[in-house]
Amino acid sequence: MEKKSNKKKVVKFPRRVSINAGMLAFIAIVIYLTVSMVIYITRDKISFYEVVYGQNATAANKSYNALIIRDETVINSKEAGYVNYYLSDGGRASLDTIVYSIDESGDAAEILEKYQDADKTLSKKDTEKVLLYISNYLKAYNDMRYDEIYEFKSNLNSIVYDYINSSILNNLDEVIKDSSLHFNLYKAEKTGTVAFYTDGYENFVINNISSSDFNTKNYTKNSIKANSLIANDTPVYKVVNNEEWHLIIMLSDEEYAEHQYKTSIKIKLLDSDVTCIGKFSAFIGADGGYYGRITLDKYMTEYVSDRYTEIKIVEAQSSGLKIPKSSVVEKDYYIIPVSYVGRGGDSGNEGFFKQIITESGELSIEFITPDIYYMTDEYYYVSMEDFNPNDVIVMNDSSSVYQIGQTGKAKGVYNINNGYCMFKVIDIIGETSDYYIVKDGSSYGLVVYDHIVLDGSMVSEGQVVFKID
């Protein structure tokens, strides 16, 4: 009889795999972050700008170094010798005015100085005439014509100088009698304002200008001093023939584009603190650069001794929304008369009733709501995405129709408040070197704190964008 074994047979079952929920969550998070990182790295990232208020103070306050050009005639000496003058710089000369004298030895200067020293003060009669001139000016003075004070100052200086020199001229016979000098007096050859220097710009042709004319380091002014020895047929003085003068300034490409169609411009003469309006024209110089010419018919005598002066173009400071120039793009649009706008659909938004042909070939009306870029009293500027050329829209409650076709171009920016690009027309009213100042409160336009694409060339209308600071 067999002996039964006490050993039990052990059967092995497959080991159950234990699923850790925490581990699965961790793996899912890692996968999500990895995918998100790849998407973030590979997608286009758009920088945005938050619209703020600003003004074009930078542009309005820009100053320029202006080259002064006048109608000038150089007068040469009739003989060699020592020169003495009887007018001051900026004095007005008529054909009977004695402008200068020449003597061979120079001794006449000492005799003339004696008479000048003896007459440092005006006579009682001349003083009364000066006071009368001042009194008449004060009686006629008007705050609205404040600029005339500079002309008054110039005239008063000339009158006093003429009175002082008249005492010297009255004693010229005594000068000649007391000396055995070769001494000649010379009257003005032309009427005008006199100046006692030359610099080579007397016959300058404005259209021949180049940037080198504004390099003041190369500028040479040859002053003709009283009691100096001059040669025969050399410059002794010059005459400015009329009151018209020109201020030439250099313009950048942007400034030329801004000013090229202007015919007048408001400037401030910084040396005399005078603000005035002059004729203006923009032109291209001999070197291909851009220049502006400002023509005035006042204040010339104040600057007769100058060839350069600082000016400022005075423009009304414009306040509005400050937009980077890099954000601005140009876009085509359709023009639709305002009389064709209507309201429809579930939202009651503004839109247009467009004629369509159904699948069955019947004529029907579809209400569409295109992006409206801008509106005026007469027209809506709308996106071209929802219309085709020659589409027909119908006036609400009327049989009048309008055929789509008239187009235009507008400058604008892409608004991305809603995560995609919406084109907004801007109305530019001023600018600085880097920003435009645009009108605030325009229909369908921007408002402060809107987010716009910083570089408008990187996106297109309707594009979904991911903003980065």
Side-chain angles (χ1 to χ4, degrees):
M1 183 174 175
E2 292 185 6
K3 192 175 182 177
K4 291 184 179 180
S5 174
N6 293 327
K7 293 181 178 180
K8 295 180 179 180
K9 189 174 181 179
V10 178
V11 178
K12 293 184 177 180
F13 292 95
R15 188 175 182 181
R16 178 180 290 181
V17 178
S18 178
I19 299 176
N20 190 317
M23 181 63 69
L24 287 178
F26 176 76
I27 294 172
I29 291 172
V30 170
I31 294 173
Y32 172 78
L33 292 176
T34 302
V35 172
S36 297
M37 184 64 69
V38 171
I39 294 174
Y40 180 81
I41 294 173
T42 57
R43 76 187 180 190
D44 291 333
K45 293 173 284 295
I46 304 300
S47 296
F48 73 93
Y49 170 84
E50 186 173 82
V51 177
V52 296
Y53 287 113
Q55 60 182 16
N56 65 336
T58 301
N61 290 328
K62 182 174 182 180
S63 60
Y64 300 81
N65 183 36
L67 173 67
I68 299 173
I69 300 297
R70 297 169 286 253
D71 180 11
E72 305 173 16
T73 302
V74 176
I75 306 298
N76 289 335
S77 173
K78 300 299 183 184
E79 59 178 323
Y82 291 87
V83 62
N84 279 285
Y85 295 107
Y86 306 97
L87 286 176
S88 62
D89 255 357
R92 291 186 174 90
S94 63
L95 295 179
D96 292 329
T97 303
I98 295 176
V99 180
Y100 71 101
S101 65
I102 296 287
D103 76 277
E104 289 183 345
S105 65
D107 293 337
E110 295 182 7
I111 303 173
L112 292 173
E113 187 176 355
K114 179 182 69 174
Y115 287 104
Q116 189 173 11
D117 289 341
D119 293 277
K120 283 183 177 178
T121 58
L122 297 178
S123 68
K124 181 179 179 180
K125 183 178 179 180
D126 289 341
T127 301
E128 289 175 351
K129 290 180 180 179
V130 170
L131 291 175
L132 179 61
Y133 177 75
I134 295 173
S135 176
N136 290 336
Y137 171 78
L138 292 176
K139 289 178 182 177
Y141 177 77
N142 188 330
D143 287 336
M144 300 300 293
R145 300 198 302 271
Y146 177 78
D147 56 347
E148 293 180 357
I149 195 170
Y150 296 96
E151 184 177 0
F152 165 74
K153 175 186 173 184
S154 177
N155 291 340
L156 186 60
N157 286 337
S158 297
I159 290 171
V160 173
Y161 199 87
D162 287 345
Y163 285 159
I164 293 175
N165 278 332
S166 66
S167 64
I168 300 174
L169 295 174
N170 290 335
N171 289 287
L172 283 178
D173 290 340
E174 190 70 22
V175 173
I176 297 171
K177 183 174 69 174
D178 288 351
S179 63
S180 58
L181 302 174
H182 178 77
F183 183 84
N184 288 317
L185 299 171
Y186 293 94
K187 293 183 177 181
E189 297 182 17
K190 301 187 70 174
T191 60
T193 303
V194 299
F196 302 105
Y197 72 94
T198 59
D199 58 8
Y201 281 93
E202 286 77 18
N203 297 304
F204 186 75
V205 178
I206 291 178
N207 287 337
N208 290 340
I209 200 166
S210 65
S211 60
S212 61
D213 292 307
F214 292 84
N215 186 351
T216 54
K217 293 181 179 179
N218 298 332
Y219 175 71
T220 302
K221 182 178 181 178
N222 302 306
S223 298
I224 310 165
K225 301 295 185 181
N227 201 32
S228 61
L229 180 63
I230 63 174
N232 182 38
D233 201 30
T234 58
V236 65
Y237 71 98
K238 65 182 177 183
V239 177
V240 182
N241 299 309
N242 52 62
E243 291 295 313
E244 184 176 84
W245 54 309
H246 311 278
L247 298 162
I248 314 301
I249 58 175
M250 299 178 67
L251 300 175
S252 66
D253 294 357
E254 294 79 9
E255 290 166 339
Y256 178 79
E258 179 184 358
H259 298 307
Q260 64 176 319
Y261 299 114
K262 292 182 178 178
T263 57
S264 64
I265 201 163
K266 189 175 183 179
I267 65 168
K268 184 174 186 178
L269 302 168
L270 298 182
D271 288 339
S272 56
D273 200 29
V274 170
T275 301
C276 55
I277 297 176
K279 297 178 182 177
F280 180 82
S281 61
F283 65 99
I284 299 175
D287 61 350
Y290 295 127
Y291 300 89
R293 177 199 302 201
I294 303 147
T295 302
L296 303 174
D297 57 8
K298 291 183 179 180
Y299 321 114
M300 185 276 297
T301 54
E302 293 291 314
Y303 293 85
V304 71
S305 299
D306 302 317
R307 187 57 71 184
Y308 298 92
T309 190
E310 289 290 315
I311 70 167
K312 181 190 294 182
I313 293 180
V314 181
E315 297 177 312
Q317 293 189 7
S318 303
S319 297
L321 302 178
K322 185 179 176 182
I323 303 298
K325 290 185 175 180
S326 61
S327 297
V328 178
V329 295
E330 194 171 62
K331 194 170 180 62
D332 294 324
Y333 57 82
Y334 282 126
I335 298 174
I336 301 178
V338 296
S339 56
Y340 285 86
V341 71
R343 293 187 180 275
D346 296 334
S347 64
N349 290 335
E350 289 183 325
F352 303 91
F353 298 95
K354 183 174 73 171
Q355 288 185 351
I356 61 170
I357 303 296
T358 64
E359 293 181 356
S360 61
E362 295 179 351
L363 187 65
S364 183
I365 301 296
E366 178 186 18
F367 183 76
I368 61 171
T369 55
D371 288 334
I372 298 176
Y373 296 153
Y374 194 69
M375 70 167 292
T376 66
D377 292 339
E378 297 180 350
Y379 297 102
Y380 276 83
Y381 302 167
V382 303
S383 167
M384 302 181 79
E385 304 298 323
D386 296 285
F387 291 107
N388 293 312
N390 301 321
D391 277 350
V392 174
I393 59 175
V394 180
M395 186 181 296
N396 191 25
D397 297 329
S398 172
S399 59
S400 297
V401 297
Y402 177 80
Q403 188 176 59
I404 300 296
Q406 186 178 358
T407 63
K409 288 183 178 291
K411 289 184 176 180
V413 297
Y414 287 112
N415 182 306
I416 53 174
N417 289 348
N418 298 321
Y420 62 94
C421 295
M422 295 178 60
F423 185 74
K424 298 288 186 179
V425 172
I426 58 174
D427 185 359
I428 299 173
I429 57 177
E431 67 178 298
T432 67
S433 57
D434 298 316
Y435 292 89
Y436 287 119
I437 306 300
V438 306
K439 189 176 180 181
D440 185 19
S442 300
S443 299
Y444 302 97
L446 295 173
V447 296
V448 68
Y449 305 132
D450 273 351
H451 286 184
I452 62 174
V453 176
L454 183 60
D455 185 353
S457 63
M458 294 181 61
V459 298
S460 58
E461 189 168 10
Q463 177 180 332
V464 176
V465 298
F466 300 90
K467 297 186 289 185
I468 63 170
D469 292 333

